[in-house]
Structures are given as structure tokens and as C-alpha cells.
Amino acid sequence: MAMDLSFACTMCGDCCHNLRLPLSVNEAIRWLERGGDIQVFCEAMPWPVEPSTDDGQVQHRRMRSFAADSGELPIRVMVTVAAAFEGACPHLQPDMRCGAYEARPNVCRIYPAEVNPFIELMPAHKACPPEAWAADRPSFIKGGRIVDSITADLIENSREAAVRDVPVKQRLCGNAGFHTASLANEGFVTYTLPPHAMLDELRRALDPAAPAAQAVQWRILSNRRTTVDTLNSVGAHAEMHAALLPTEGYIPLFEAN
């Protein structure tokens, strides 16, 4: 059954705390120029053969990733550029209003909608209080479709930017030496640079005429020994998550085993 959902912001500010906001490359540059911090998240998907074009979810991930190799294993690498902050967003004012409202990223303009078409909007998974979803609030989704045309257009723009940014992110990883990823759906390998250095790398990656770094081998990190052993058994270069470089971090989605 198609979803109907009501929603209106209550100005609680909960959705503006302790976040990693996925941004387009251009949005990330603007975020850094306003004094924020950016992290780069890398995850790898084993890709030994091309899947059926009938699988919409797989094709969605394919369009948002680039081809690479980990040892003898063909993979695709998905890169997310995110605004990162602990506590309140640096633009959140004491009255819970956004101090950069006109320049806020698309992900903030779209919230609480999902950009990924294969993820259903679940109020329980959002930071908003129950009253934000009360039946007397304005209609947000009707018959499974976003009611507001501006929000719907922003979602489409975000999806297009994610595909358009793939070669930029590939150049970013090659130029900046980001060559480690997590196994998709297990966690994330994160890269953190000083803001000025990250800004330089993003600007350099935006230039398609700039010399690209040579293709390199990717390694895959996991906090699960069974995952590492399985990946190595099929020819990948996999290591436990403790084998981090100084610029790298690891965020697991599951407990180690």
C-alpha cells in the first residue's frame, strides 16, 4: 500500500546535532569555505561480474560508485563526502533556527525525506518528535509521493549530483591517497584532513583537466575476522580494522567477531 504521511518541523533542533551530512562536492567546498569540517567515507562492494540490469538497487549503487581492484578481486568503491560535527551544527542558533538557512545543503532542505529511492521514510528512524508526524500536520507524502514539488525536485537534483560527482570522487581518492575502504554494509573507512588541505584536494579533484593519479590497489578493512578471511580467500587485499593509517578511521556497523 502506498504511504501517506503528515509532517511539519517543530524546531526542536534534534536533527541538527551530532551528524555527518552527505554533501555534493560543490556543497562540501562551500561548507569548508564557511569554516566547517569535512570527512570522506569509503566503502567497497565486491564486483566480480556485472549484475543484471533488472536489479534496480544494484544499478543504483553502480551509478554511484567507480570500478577498482583489491588484489585480484574487482570491486566498486562508493565514496561519500560529509559535513561532520559533534554536538550542535555550527550554524544552529540558540533559538534553533538555522544561521545559514539560505545556503544550507540539499540534505537539510530535503529532510526528513530520503534521497535513496530504495529506503522508505520511517518516522521512528528520524530525530523528530512524535508531534511532528501528527495527523493534523500538513501532508508530506501522499500515495507514496512527496507532496511538495520543490522538495521532490531537490531530491532528484541530489540523486543526479551523486552520479555526476563519481569521477570527481575518484580523482579525489587518487590524488589524496585515499585507497582503503570498508566492506559495504559492514562499516565505513573515514578520511580526515585539516580543513584547508581537504579544501585543496576537493578543488583539485573538480578539475577534469588536472593529471589524475595512477590507478592503485585498494585494501578492504573489517572488524570481523571471518570477513577478512573470506575476502582474502577470493584474492582481495583485506586486513583487520586495526591496520589504520594516520588519516584513516573505521566506523563499524556491527560488533567485532
Side-chain angles (χ1 to χ4, degrees):
M1 177 190 284
M3 173 192 291
D4 290 344
L5 193 63
S6 299
F7 173 79
C9 179
T10 63
M11 302 289 289
C12 69
D14 288 350
C15 66
C16 303
H17 287 74
N18 304 312
L19 294 177
R20 293 178 174 91
L21 297 172
L23 306 178
S24 70
V25 172
N26 282 320
E27 287 178 327
I29 288 173
R30 291 194 292 271
W31 186 271
L32 285 162
E33 289 173 341
R34 294 197 301 270
D37 290 320
I38 290 292
Q39 286 185 322
V40 174
F41 291 64
C42 298
E43 50 183 326
M45 302 170 284
W47 211 269
V49 296
E50 283 296 322
S52 168
T53 57
D54 295 334
D55 190 326
Q57 292 193 50
V58 171
Q59 292 303 317
H60 177 80
R61 294 180 74 85
R62 188 189 192 286
M63 290 189 300
R64 286 154 180 77
S65 60
F66 56 84
D69 292 298
S70 176
E72 300 173 1
L73 178 68
I75 62 173
R76 293 193 72 87
V77 179
M78 185 174 296
V79 176
T80 303
V81 179
F85 51 86
E86 300 295 332
C89 172
H91 301 298
L92 187 65
Q93 298 179 333
D95 63 358
M96 297 296 109
R97 294 181 181 273
C98 177
Y101 189 78
E102 296 303 323
R104 70 195 188 281
N106 269 1
V107 67
C108 299
R109 297 171 187 268
I110 290 165
Y111 190 85
E114 300 287 356
V115 174
N116 188 327
F118 298 99
I119 296 179
E120 182 179 354
L121 170 55
M122 302 289 289
H125 297 167
K126 300 295 180 178
C128 310
E131 54 267 30
W133 312 95
D136 60 352
R137 296 281 179 169
S139 180
F140 189 69
I141 295 178
K142 188 74 172 177
R145 299 178 67 87
I146 298 291
V147 172
D148 181 61
S149 61
I150 295 177
T151 301
D153 286 345
L154 288 171
I155 292 172
E156 187 60 31
N157 290 342
S158 294
R159 291 172 180 170
E160 292 173 355
V163 176
R164 189 171 58 248
D165 279 347
V166 168
V168 180
K169 293 174 178 177
Q170 186 172 14
R171 289 194 294 270
L172 169 67
C173 291
N175 294 335
F178 301 162
H179 302 137
T180 303
S182 67
L183 183 65
N185 301 320
E186 259 202 17
F188 299 95
V189 167
T190 66
Y191 283 93
T192 305
L193 298 177
H196 70 276
M198 186 69 80
L199 182 58
D200 287 345
E201 293 293 353
L202 286 168
R203 286 172 172 165
R204 181 160 64 126
L206 268 178
D207 182 5
Q214 293 184 346
V216 297
Q217 286 284 325
W218 282 73
R219 65 176 184 148
I220 303 175
L221 297 187
S222 174
N223 68 333
R224 295 183 159 196
R225 170 51 62 184
T226 52
T227 295
V228 171
D229 291 345
T230 298
L231 287 169
N232 285 328
S233 72
V234 295
H237 176 193
E239 298 181 68
M240 291 297 291
H241 70 295
L244 292 167
L245 298 177
T247 57
E248 297 173 347
Y250 186 82
I251 300 175
L253 297 182
F254 303 101
E255 293 293 328
N257 63 13

